[in-house]
Structure formats: C-alpha cells, structure tokens
Amino acid sequence: MTPGVIYPHIEKAEGQPARLQRIPRVRVAQIVMDYLAYGWSVEEMCRQHPYLTLSEAHAAMVYYFDRQDEVDNEIRLEWEQAQQAKSQASPSPFFVRMKARGLL
C-alpha cells in the first residue's frame, strides 16, 4: 500500500489480496466484482450481502478506486484460473447423457 494511506476495515498482507478485517475470507475483489458485474451501489451490495456493513463496502470501493490496477489484475487472474480449470474438467455425466440423446 502507499505509505501514509490507511483504509479502514481493509487489511492487506504482503503478497496477499486485500480483505475485510472483520471477515477475512471476504476479499475486496469479491465486493468489486458485484459492482463491475451488476452495477450495484454500495447500498445494494449491503442488501444482497447482509453481513456487509455500509462502511466496509465503502472502504472496499475506496480501496478499489485507489488501487484499481491491482484489484483488476487480481480479478483477471482469478477469471483465467477458473477458465483453465473449466477447460480441464471432465463434462458432467448429465451433460454427456443429454448430448448423447441429442438434447443438447
């Protein structure tokens, strides 16, 4: 992080993604993905995720707008990993059966 800048409710360990202090399993990037994918406001994010406080959601968005390249890169890498895993996964038995029956 930039020296002297403090993001309330956010913690960032060296080499790790930024996370909520109160709920460390929730990454800033996860909150940002709702903003990017759905265009949700901070208030809507809190309605959709009741565990999230307004101050945490605002802090996550401030962090994002200050460190946009960092968070966008994290999201991009996660997307690439998911696509790679998807391409290497075997099709589900349901998909195989439906395709064999000409239903897909």
Side-chain angles (χ1 to χ4, degrees):
M1 281 196 234
T2 308
V5 177
I6 297 172
Y7 297 93
H9 307 288
I10 306 297
E11 60 183 29
K12 172 86 167 78
E14 187 68 33
Q16 296 293 315
R19 302 175 179 280
L20 294 181
Q21 288 175 338
R22 187 175 60 89
I23 314 169
R25 72 178 180 275
V26 176
R27 295 176 292 116
V28 167
Q30 291 170 291
I31 297 167
V32 169
M33 283 187 252
D34 284 341
Y35 167 75
L36 296 173
Y38 305 114
W40 288 350
S41 66
V42 169
E43 291 78 11
E44 184 62 25
M45 287 182 217
C46 292
R47 277 191 289 277
Q48 296 294 328
H49 306 291
Y51 59 85
L52 193 60
T53 67
L54 277 171
S55 56
E56 289 168 334
H58 278 289
M61 294 309 297
V62 168
Y63 185 92
Y64 173 63
F65 288 121
D66 282 352
R67 319 279 272 151
Q68 192 166 351
D69 289 342
E70 171 191 317
V71 178
D72 284 346
N73 188 50
E74 179 185 340
I75 292 168
R76 182 185 54 76
L77 289 173
E78 186 173 336
W79 174 259
E80 289 172 357
Q81 290 170 349
Q83 293 305 306
Q84 183 179 10
K86 183 179 173 183
S87 71
Q88 293 173 350
S90 300
S92 73
F94 175 78
F95 178 80
V96 171
R97 277 186 239 122
M98 293 295 111
K99 191 169 183 178
R101 293 179 180 177
L103 299 172
L104 294 177

